[in-house]
């Protein structure tokens, strides 16, 4: 790993430590420890189990997209590769944006697929995962609006409004980029070809690439995206698997609260999990620190008398501890295994 990469990683994790220290100080370390000690281990095991179900569900979505692109990877292979994908997302800044290139490498190496096809596959999965989160959040908002007067939840309304605005911006940018993708392709080719020539001259082992080859690879990426979008049956399967994965995440948060004797209302879970996930785009490794802070803020902003600061932080730490560390531990082993040249199953 280069010195710059090490420095960026160190700064990222250093920021995470500072954020958690501030969060724990806000609650009070003694009160937090006392609350953690009340947690039921059986529920914590269930949180981990549901986390594995979430990983498997989203790996099914990846498997389905790969099938659409004629890339053959077994279900178990897809599961391990997706765990590696989540590992790369969790240790790089900006969430999926930082981890996607590494994930594409894992797919191409494991399934013997072209890199641009692999990149298109994981980009498609990330995009598909966004759709159920928005839908579930809107369902939660609609139900929430019918239950509680607007005046009693001004902070959470701000959160909901923010996610709607951000979602609209993301969808608008995505639509515009797709509509003008060939213009973007032309600009990217002209911009990156000289950079590739420069790197090839500076670092002799790197192969030089002409403008035609760069253009061909980018066109291959767009064609792969088009193939996924043109298969409604496979899209439906991938979206269903993605939706199940989101439900698993929300169930994990509900179980985390049950572990400390609190039964959190489903309405709030439907809203706060998708909203908090947006914090994953921050320049923190996997959004760690940012997602937890947003979750705690939303929980304390909602009219939940039984949820104190210590309870909110404890439940979030249990929930995010599983969601973050299970993929890091499992996926880290997968990345090391694939990097060593091992095969994890490339048949369907």
């Amino acid at each position: 790993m280069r010195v710059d990469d090490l420095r960026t990683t160190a700064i990222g994790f250093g920021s995470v430590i500072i954020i958690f220290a501030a969060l724990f100080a806000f609650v009070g370390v003694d009160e937090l420890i006392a609350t953690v000690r009340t947690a039921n281990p059986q529920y914590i095991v269930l949180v981990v189990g549901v986390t594995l179900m979430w990983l498997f569900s989203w790996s099914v979505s990846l498997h389905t997209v790969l099938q659409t692109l004629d890339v053959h990877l077994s279900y178990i292979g897809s599961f391990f590769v997706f765990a590696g994908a989540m590992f790369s997302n969790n240790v790089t800044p900006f969430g999926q944006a930082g981890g996607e290139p590494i994930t594409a490498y894992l797919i191409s190496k494991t399934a013997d697929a072209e890199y641009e096809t692999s990149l298109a596959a994981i980009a498609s999965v990330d995009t598909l995962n966004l759709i159920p989160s928005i839908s579930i959040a809107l369902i939660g908002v609609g139900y929430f609006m019918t239950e509680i007067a607007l005046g009693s939840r001004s902070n959470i309304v701000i959160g909901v409004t923010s996610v709607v605005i951000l979602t609209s911006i993301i969808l608008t940018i995505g639509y515009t980029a797709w509509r003008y993708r060939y213009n973007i392709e032309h600009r990217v080719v002209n911009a990156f070809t000289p950079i590739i020539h420069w790197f090839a001259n500076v670092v002799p082992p790197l192969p030089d690439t002409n403008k035609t080859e760069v253009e061909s690879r980018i066109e291959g990426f767009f064609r792969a995206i088009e193939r996924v979008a043109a298969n409604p049956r496979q899209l439906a399967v991938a979206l269903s698997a993605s939706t199940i994965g989101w439900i698993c995440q929300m169930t994990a948060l509900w179980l985390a609260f049950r572990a400390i004797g609190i039964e959190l209302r489903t309405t709030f879970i439907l809203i706060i999990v998708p909203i908090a996930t947006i914090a994953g785009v921050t320049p923190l490794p996997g959004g760690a620190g940012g997602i937890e802070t947003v979750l705690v803020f939303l929980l304390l902003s909602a009219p939940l008398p039984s949820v104190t600061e210590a309870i909110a932080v404890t439940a979030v730490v249990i929930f995010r501890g599983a969601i973050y560390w299970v993929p890091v531990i499992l996926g880290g082993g997968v990345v090391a295994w694939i990097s060593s040249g091992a095969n994890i199953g490339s048949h369907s």
Side-chain angles (χ1 to χ4, degrees), residues 111-345:
D112 194 25
E114 293 182 349
Y115 181 83
E116 56 268 22
T117 301
S118 303
L119 184 60
I122 191 61
S124 298
V125 171
D126 287 340
T127 302
L128 290 172
N129 285 340
L130 179 65
I131 297 172
S133 70
I134 296 172
S135 303
I136 292 171
L138 291 177
I139 291 171
V141 169
Y143 186 66
F144 189 73
M145 292 291 187
T146 64
E147 285 190 320
I148 302 173
L150 279 170
S152 63
R153 62 184 200 290
S154 57
N155 287 334
I156 202 165
V157 167
I158 292 172
V160 171
T161 303
S162 300
V163 76
V164 171
I165 293 173
L166 286 172
T167 299
S168 299
I169 293 172
I170 291 169
L171 291 178
T172 300
I173 292 173
Y175 173 77
T176 304
W178 182 250
R179 183 185 177 112
Y180 298 101
R181 60 190 180 278
Y182 295 113
N183 291 333
I184 294 173
E185 173 194 330
H186 179 71
R187 293 177 181 275
V188 169
V189 170
N190 289 334
F192 275 88
T193 301
I195 296 174
I196 292 173
H197 287 320
W198 183 82
F199 269 105
N201 292 329
V202 174
V203 186
L206 290 179
D208 199 356
T209 304
N210 58 41
K211 182 176 180 179
T212 302
E213 186 173 351
V214 174
E215 189 172 15
S216 175
R217 287 183 175 273
I218 294 175
E219 286 179 351
F221 171 78
F222 284 130
R223 282 196 301 269
I225 294 285
E226 289 170 351
R227 286 176 64 185
V228 174
N231 196 320
R233 181 178 175 276
Q234 298 290 76
L235 276 177
V237 173
L239 281 171
S240 298
S242 176
T243 302
I244 293 171
W246 278 110
I247 293 172
C248 288
Q249 277 206 41
M250 295 169 187
T251 302
L253 180 59
W254 184 85
L255 288 169
F257 272 94
R258 288 294 297 153
I260 50 179
I262 302 295
E263 187 166 344
L264 193 66
R265 297 174 65 177
T266 306
T267 308
F268 299 114
I269 297 175
L270 294 178
I271 299 172
I272 65 177
V273 171
I275 291 176
T277 304
I278 294 176
V281 301
T282 58
L284 297 167
I291 294 177
E292 289 81 359
T293 301
V294 172
L295 278 171
V296 170
F297 170 78
L298 292 173
L299 286 164
L300 296 178
S301 298
L304 301 168
S306 60
V307 178
T308 63
E309 289 87 349
I311 288 174
V313 173
T314 300
V316 167
V317 167
I318 293 172
F319 165 67
R320 282 289 296 164
I323 294 294
Y324 185 88
W325 285 107
V326 168
V328 165
I329 295 171
L330 180 61
V334 170
V335 171
W337 191 12
I338 294 176
S339 299
S340 69
N343 194 313
I344 61 175

Side-chain angles (χ1 to χ4, degrees), residues 55 59 62 77-90 106 326-332 334-335:
L55 281 174
S59 73
L62 174 61
S78 299
F79 173 76
F80 283 124
V81 167
F82 189 77
M86 294 308 301
F87 165 79
S88 62
N89 290 345
N90 285 348
L106 295 176
V326 168
V328 165
I329 295 171
L330 180 61
V334 170
V335 171

